Amino acid sequence: MSEKTKEVAIIGGGPVGLLLAKELEKHHFSYVLFEASGLFGGQMTKTYPEKPVNDVPGYPPMTAKELIDTILSEIDSNNLFLDSFVETIERQGDEFILRLKNGKEEKFFFVVIVTGLGSYRPRPLGLEGEDAATNILYAVHDLAPLKNKRVVVFGGGDSALDWAKRLSTLASETHLVHRRREFRGDVTTIENANVTIHVPYVPYQLIIKKKKVEAVTIRNVEDSSLIKLPCDYLLVNYGQIPSPSTFNLPQTPKGFGLLVDENQEIDKNIFAVGDVAFMSNRAKRVAPALEEIKNLIKALEERRSR
């Protein structure tokens, strides 16, 4: 990275950050993208790389990993840096100084925060022995080990339903356990799929032998009856517990997100797009963020021309 002040710093290397990098290149901005972890793609890469993604404008249906790999192939890798945790953002005159955890400092004229909901850790089942079990999954990075296996999926959102459908095509048994009779996700996803549904049930006990779950007992929340499900793998889809990366900037009092205007601006020349920016009715998807990127690019071009 050069000592010369670059135009734009992108903080966050998830799908929205990468798509922003693509647009900045198209409009001939100099930029650097900082990703705190060792992987690009955010939750798409870390949590559901094999999940089909079919709602990103400009890209045909593909897996999450394939989508991230495709976007990476479209931008200059020399501008992308992994393991680059930005600790502070300091305004100095017309520039911003970004200080990284590794001790480096970089100067930019514009900063765009694209950190989503921040860093994450999976929400666990909360059962004794869970931490030591080697066959409890919170993300699927390789489908091969699950082929012809008995898999129990926990969760009631779109991700759990999508995985239940996908696994039903290769697992010998697929069970879906949800605590309510109604699903938060679109239950039509698993219509005609070979999935055994257990509602309203919650996880009750793990039966573990040699650090592997051999069966899980689930409890009916209405009558406390128990069912024992022999299994080879558990897939927990209870979502993620976020640790926000918002750099002490102004946030909404109504929930989560940095306060932005119609140009995605938080304060002069510092912006936010994607889930980290508060938008009251915006779905947590990539597509709405593309409109925000358009607004941002327009604002940057106007300021560059002054």
Side-chain angles (χ1 to χ4, degrees), residues 33 58 69 78 86 90 93 99 108 129 137 151 176 178 186 216 237:
L33 183 150
D69 287 344
N78 291 317
V86 178
E90 179 184 329
R99 293 188 172 88
F108 297 88
L137 307 176
V151 184
L176 178 61
H178 182 42
D186 182 3
V216 58
N237 267 269

Side-chain angles (χ1 to χ4, degrees), residues 8-24:
V8 184
I10 303 173
I11 304 176
V16 177
L18 296 174
L19 288 167
L20 171 58
K22 179 180 175 180
E23 287 300 307
L24 289 173

Side-chain angles (χ1 to χ4, degrees), residues 7-200:
E7 289 180 288
V8 184
I10 303 173
I11 304 176
V16 177
L18 296 174
L19 288 167
L20 171 58
K22 179 180 175 180
E23 287 300 307
L24 289 173
E25 286 189 15
K26 188 186 299 183
H27 292 82
H28 308 293
F29 282 90
S30 62
Y31 73 91
V32 174
L33 183 150
F34 300 100
E35 166 54 41
S37 75
L39 291 169
F40 294 116
Q43 294 306 293
M44 281 194 176
T45 301
K46 297 169 190 172
T47 306
Y48 51 92
E50 297 297 328
K51 180 182 175 182
V53 177
N54 54 18
D55 60 351
V56 178
Y59 294 89
M62 61 182 80
T63 68
K65 183 181 185 304
E66 288 169 341
L67 175 65
I68 297 304
D69 287 344
T70 300
I71 300 171
L72 284 169
S73 72
E74 297 170 337
I75 53 183
D76 187 351
S77 62
N78 291 317
N79 297 326
L80 313 178
F81 292 85
L82 292 171
D83 300 311
S84 298
F85 185 90
V86 178
E87 289 193 317
T88 61
I89 303 169
E90 179 184 329
R91 188 186 296 275
Q92 194 173 86
D94 293 330
E95 299 177 346
F96 293 95
I97 297 177
L98 272 60
R99 293 188 172 88
L100 279 64
K101 193 172 184 178
N102 61 14
K104 291 184 178 180
E105 294 185 357
E106 299 292 333
K107 293 182 180 180
F108 297 88
F109 292 114
F110 305 102
V111 175
V112 187
I113 301 171
V114 202
T115 51
L117 297 177
S119 58
Y120 303 79
R121 59 184 176 89
R123 196 179 300 277
L125 292 169
L127 297 180
E128 184 179 351
E130 180 176 2
D131 291 344
T134 59
N135 58 338
I136 299 179
L137 307 176
Y138 303 92
V140 179
H141 299 283
D142 184 3
L143 288 168
L146 305 180
K147 188 174 182 180
N148 299 321
K149 301 297 184 181
R150 299 164 299 176
V151 184
V152 181
V153 181
F154 288 89
D158 284 319
S159 180
L161 291 161
D162 287 342
W163 275 118
K165 180 180 180 180
R166 183 73 182 274
L167 292 170
S168 71
T169 64
L170 58 94
S172 61
E173 293 179 20
T174 304
H175 298 264
L176 178 61
V177 180
H178 182 42
R179 66 180 300 171
R180 299 184 179 90
R181 291 190 178 277
E182 300 78 25
F183 285 86
R184 289 181 291 108
D186 182 3
V187 74
T188 62
T189 300
I190 55 173
E191 278 185 359
N192 304 316
N194 187 23
V195 177
T196 303
I197 300 174
H198 304 273
V199 293

